[in-house]
Amino acid sequence: EEFIMGVSKYGIKVSTSDQYDVLHRHALYLIIRMMCYDDGLGAGKSLLALKTTDASNEDYSLWVYQCNSLEQAQAVCKVLSTAFDSVLTSEKP
């Protein structure tokens, strides 16, 4: 199923291609790890993997999304990495 992935300072929202239904939401503070890699099948597709936790930090989930290219997957990782860096390096008043 095709989807649209929106990345913001709040996290990731995965919607249907018509943006009518939200399939998943991944809050930024619940994302533990992310990575992108080639699927190894030679089709030019890349995978974006997210490890998330729940609000109580008791359960973990692994989410894997197929992207059209490695550049697309890397772009999502870069935006999320920038968001994490921004939060971690910001000064508290």
Side-chain angles (χ1 to χ4, degrees), residues 8-81:
S8 73
K9 65 181 180 180
Y10 302 107
I12 298 174
K13 179 173 80 171
V14 181
S15 306
T16 55
S17 57
D18 61 5
Q19 296 189 10
Y20 186 73
D21 293 318
V22 175
L23 303 173
H24 301 285
R25 288 185 191 270
H26 304 290
L28 190 63
Y29 74 98
L30 296 177
I31 297 173
I32 296 172
R33 185 163 173 91
M34 64 187 166
M35 65 180 293
C36 54
Y37 56 96
D38 182 64
D39 67 3
L41 300 175
K45 303 287 185 181
S46 293
L47 303 175
L48 172 68
L50 299 171
K51 180 180 179 184
T52 62
T53 187
D54 61 2
S56 63
N57 289 322
E58 292 181 8
D59 292 322
Y60 299 95
S61 298
L62 179 63
W63 303 86
V64 180
Y65 298 100
Q66 185 180 42
C67 301
N68 290 324
S69 66
L70 183 58
E71 291 78 20
Q72 191 178 47
Q74 287 174 334
V76 173
C77 284
K78 184 176 181 180
V79 170
L80 286 173
S81 183

